[in-house]
Amino acid sequence: MRLLLYIAFLVSCTAFSQQTIEICGDTKSFTYYTQSDIASSIEWYINGAYYYGEEIIVNWDEPGTYEIIATAIASDCPSIPQTYTVVVIECDPLLYWVPNTFTPNGDEFNTTWGPVFNGPYDAADFHLIVLNRWGNLIWESWNAAARWDGNYDGYPVHDGVYTWVIDFGLLDTDERKKLQGHVTILK
């Protein structure tokens, strides 16, 4: 006779079916536990090994896709195994920040705009354009340190949202990155 048991994965008191973890050269620990609607013991299967108990603590330190399988066992009858997928990714060594707003109003605060990079990007292989809402080019730079002052052809642009596109290479590889987003001008 086979008993059907309800079993659900819980991480930090919230049910999920998949989790993505980003590691940056470190180890992250998570506690996984289950709930069953009847008294049972729990059998866990992860990374080729079995564990028993109400909860398990897993240390994630290698990128990959992993499955945690839990089976509740009551009166020698196993439940339908429940699977929880964990995707572990390595963080991108390239860190960047592109502000979404600036105020070129002459008050000496936040009057220019441009991206900030930290990581292995190639400053000599950099291109940035800013477009207005009609797709017209209003500012362009080949210098990663250059900043836009909110002017076009020597005149201040109107308040509003402008699209930017950054294209650059990474050091020590042939990889290219293309980023895009919006910046809002407030005066």
Side-chain angles (χ1 to χ4, degrees):
M1 180 171 128
R2 185 166 252 240
L3 297 175
L4 294 179
L5 304 176
Y6 165 76
I7 184 171
F9 281 101
L10 297 172
V11 179
S12 302
C13 302
T14 306
F16 297 101
S17 62
Q18 180 173 326
Q19 176 184 24
T20 300
I21 301 170
E22 184 177 65
I23 56 173
C24 299
D26 57 351
T27 298
K28 293 198 176 171
S29 295
F30 285 86
T31 300
Y32 301 91
Y33 61 96
T34 64
Q35 288 181 335
S36 177
D37 59 351
I38 64 172
S40 60
S41 61
I42 306 298
E43 177 183 84
W44 300 87
Y45 181 76
I46 181 169
N47 295 337
Y50 288 95
Y51 304 92
Y52 298 91
E54 296 300 312
E55 67 181 36
I56 59 170
I57 298 172
V58 180
N59 296 318
W60 302 108
D61 59 2
E62 291 291 326
T65 301
Y66 303 92
E67 286 187 344
I68 300 174
I69 300 171
T71 305
I73 301 172
S75 301
D76 293 327
C77 293
S79 69
I80 296 172
Q82 301 296 305
T83 302
Y84 184 75
T85 303
V86 178
V87 178
V88 180
I89 58 174
E90 187 71 42
C91 67
D92 191 342
L94 174 68
L95 300 175
Y96 60 88
W97 175 66
V98 183
N100 63 2
T101 306
F102 77 112
T103 57
N105 57 8
D107 69 357
E108 298 183 25
F109 298 102
N110 206 23
T111 59
T112 61
W113 173 89
V116 177
F117 286 93
N118 182 14
Y121 82 99
D122 187 354
D125 185 12
F126 176 89
H127 185 220
L128 165 63
I129 61 172
V130 176
L131 308 167
N132 66 13
R133 62 181 164 184
W134 297 283
N136 298 324
L137 179 68
I138 59 170
W139 190 70
E140 180 175 32
S141 177
W142 298 93
N143 179 352
R147 297 293 177 252
W148 182 36
D149 62 2
N151 288 322
Y152 170 67
D153 204 19
Y155 296 97
V157 298
H158 294 287
D159 286 6
V161 178
Y162 295 82
T163 300
W164 55 263
V165 179
I166 303 171
D167 182 39
F168 59 95
L170 296 179
L171 291 175
D172 302 325
T173 70
D174 291 334
E175 186 179 355
R176 298 201 59 72
K177 294 270 189 180
K178 187 172 189 174
L179 311 173
Q180 59 187 17
H182 297 91
V183 59
T184 302
I185 290 183
L186 300 172
K187 295 181 186 176

